[in-house]
Amino acid sequence: GENVEQHPSTLSVQEGDSAVIKCTYSDSASNYFPWYKQELGKRPQLIIDIRSNVGEKKDQRIAVTLNKTAKHFSLHITETQPEDSAVYFCAARNTSGTYKYIFGTGTRLKVLA
Amino acid sequence: SAVISQKPSRDICQRGTSLTIQCQVDSQVTMMFWYRQQPGQSLTLIATANQGSEATYESGFVIDKFPISRPNLTFSTLTVSNMSPEDSSIYLCSVGTSAKNEKLFFGSGTQLSVL
């Protein structure tokens, strides 16, 4: 079935360093890839997204890259800050029926001050 | 973005009882979804709430256990029936804000604990 793999499951970085989270999807019909940030006890928040006709998208310290051929997409956070500490989820949305999302397993990011 | 109100925010329930969770959106949306997030886990789609027709359930979820209503384009309910401790989880409603369900936004969630 459709699947989204996400790595790593946990990631610790020093404040100011960069963090990279990677996802791989299986459904070649997927064409929209959002990233969500979930702080403890809060709802998932959409932080950035990319469509399959775009290779890269940036929003300040956050960027997402997509390799459609390899079915890989990645989240890059530069100049990390303690408030970036959270669980991050990638997702892939298919193009059939109800346009369902398949979520990755999540990455717990800790930014050490 | 859509403003999504979900209630209750949390509840502690006895085994064998049922709980109905409400989700209200501040604008009309075509697609509403219900997700479950077990402790420390990812988001699993329970069902798509269809306005005017029966919900579409994902593999592993059935209507008798998770009946869903969608009376209009701004409101939906999810009932967790005949609860057991394994149902302890966070339940989230979500809405897509475009025709192709892009920009998925989540309600604040319902933290359910079953004793």
Side-chain angles (χ1 to χ4, degrees), chain B residues 3 26 52 59 69 74 80 99 104 110:
Chain B
V3 176
D26 68 340
S59 176
S69 78
T74 64
V80 186
L104 193 70
T110 297

Side-chain angles (χ1 to χ4, degrees), chain A residues 35-82:
Chain A
W35 285 88
Y36 287 84
K37 175 183 180 182
Q38 188 175 31
E39 297 176 85
L40 189 63
K42 302 277 185 69
R43 75 189 81 187
Q45 297 272 14
L46 177 66
I47 57 172
I48 195 166
D49 55 9
I50 191 167
R51 293 196 181 108
S52 59
N53 59 348
V54 175
E56 183 176 358
K57 183 177 178 181
K58 276 187 178 181
D59 183 3
Q60 299 183 345
R61 295 187 296 109
I62 295 173
V64 56
T65 58
L66 171 66
N67 182 330
K68 197 177 174 186
T69 303
K71 297 187 210 170
H72 289 168
F73 59 112
S74 300
L75 178 71
H76 304 253
I77 306 174
T78 59
E79 301 172 25
T80 53
Q81 301 167 3

Side-chain angles (χ1 to χ4, degrees), chain B residues 78-115:
Chain B
L78 169 75
T79 299
V80 186
S81 303
N82 188 25
M83 288 184 283
S84 66
E86 293 72 37
D87 295 320
S88 298
S89 189
I90 297 173
Y91 293 85
L92 296 141
C93 69
S94 68
V95 302
T97 56
S98 73
K100 294 185 177 180
N101 197 29
E102 291 183 0
K103 309 291 184 188
L104 193 70
F105 290 96
F106 288 89
S108 51
T110 297
Q111 172 98 52
L112 171 61
S113 298
V114 184
L115 305 178

